Amino acid sequence: DQQVKQNSPSLSVQEGRISILNCDYTNSMFDYFLWYKKYPAEGPTFLISISSIKDKNEDGRFTVFLNKSAKHLSLHIVPSQPGDSAVYFCAASAGGNTPLVFGKGTRLSVIA
Amino acid sequence: EAGVAQSPRYKIIEKRQSVAFWCNPISGHATLYWYQQILGQGPKLLIQFQNNGVVDDSQLPKDRFSAERLKGVDSTLKIQPAKLEDSAVYLCASSWELERQSELFFGEGSRLTVL
């Protein structure tokens, strides 16, 4: 049973446009959400996070939105750049020392 | 600052053979994690250490997988005997503290192919 779902395996966007990556979750105990970025042959790297007490968190070109009632979050990248091409993983935590639960990832391709 | 080091990067073995992966976390990081990432899936936690004690190994297939973290620094993950379904990338990660999960630093991973 997938608790964190990324239903789009891939996404293709033109350079300069907005990229929107979506993530849904089923466990209402999750209260902290993260996005990781992964390039080929490298480990995932932390990108941005959001606590359940917020509905938006922004860091430069990256913004994460959280809709708790819909159990949905999204990552917006504006403007998209070719260097953003990578696999993006959504992850969630129920707090304390409970482990992160990852989605399957979405492969973003930014076309110049 | 040196990152999380893992070796070997690639390993090919036949089923029923054994394999071991090594991880050296970032200096000073108390918490160490082993994740399994099967192709097309997200990382799945296998085991979590705080210093040299196990915090969570509920998803570790203990009949064939074992892990240790001697002296609270380096860690080794062993599979014996390997099965075809163990083909995956094994990711090691570390963090300063147990609760600061946003600051997980991952290594490059060890890719295992079981034939």
Side-chain angles (χ1 to χ4, degrees):
Chain A
D1 177 35
Q2 275 240 289
Q3 297 185 68
V4 177
K5 300 176 185 178
Q6 294 178 256
N7 292 319
S8 298
S10 62
L11 175 67
S12 190
V13 171
Q14 280 202 313
E15 181 179 7
R17 307 292 288 267
I18 184 171
S19 296
I20 301 176
L21 295 92
N22 293 305
C23 177
D24 298 291
Y25 62 95
T26 58
N27 188 342
S28 57
M29 298 300 291
F30 288 149
D31 62 0
Y32 194 68
F33 304 88
L34 308 93
W35 286 92
Y36 279 81
K37 176 179 177 179
K38 185 181 182 306
Y39 292 117
E42 294 184 13
T45 54
F46 170 71
L47 186 59
I48 192 169
S49 63
I50 188 166
S51 164
S52 60
I53 61 172
K54 293 185 172 183
D55 55 16
K56 176 182 173 182
N57 188 25
E58 193 171 350
D59 183 2
R61 297 185 297 113
F62 302 91
T63 303
V64 56
F65 296 92
L66 175 62
N67 182 334
K68 289 186 289 293
S69 61
K71 294 193 176 69
H72 176 84
L73 61 155
S74 60
L75 174 67
H76 292 212
I77 307 173
V78 182
S80 301
Q81 298 174 353
D84 296 329
S85 298
V87 177
Y88 290 79
F89 290 100
C90 173
S93 168
N97 63 354
T98 58
L100 288 180
V101 178
F102 284 83
K104 291 185 178 182
T106 296
R107 181 179 302 277
L108 173 66
S109 299
V110 180
I111 304 163
Chain B
E1 177 182 72
V4 176
Q6 289 189 246
S7 68
R9 289 295 309 277
Y10 304 94
K11 188 75 176 178
I12 300 174
I13 61 173
E14 295 191 346
K15 60 184 179 184
R16 291 187 288 273
Q17 287 187 322
S18 64
V19 64
F21 301 112
W22 173 82
C23 173
N24 180 238
I26 292 173
S27 177
H29 280 195
T31 310
L32 185 146
Y33 309 78
W34 282 101
Y35 283 84
Q36 180 193 57
Q37 186 181 7
I38 292 171
L39 188 64
Q41 306 284 324
K44 185 187 88 169
L45 181 71
L46 292 175
I47 189 167
Q48 185 177 343
F49 292 94
Q50 175 76 356
N51 296 311
N52 59 351
V54 175
V55 174
D56 183 349
D57 64 355
S58 58
Q59 298 189 79
L60 188 73
K62 298 181 188 62
D63 57 333
R64 298 182 301 104
F65 286 65
S66 64
E68 59 182 8
R69 190 182 184 197
L70 298 175
K71 301 180 182 177
V73 182
D74 292 7
S75 177
T76 303
L77 176 71
K78 295 179 181 176
I79 307 174
Q80 182 180 15
K83 291 186 175 181
L84 296 176
E85 59 261 35
D86 298 331
S87 294
V89 176
Y90 291 86
L91 293 162
C92 179
S94 68
S95 65
W96 285 106
E97 298 168 3
L98 194 58
E99 311 226 352
R100 291 168 66 175
Q101 297 216 35
S102 63
E103 296 179 23
L104 275 186
F105 294 83
F106 283 89
E108 293 178 324
S110 294
R111 181 178 294 277
L112 174 66
T113 302
V114 183
L115 303 175

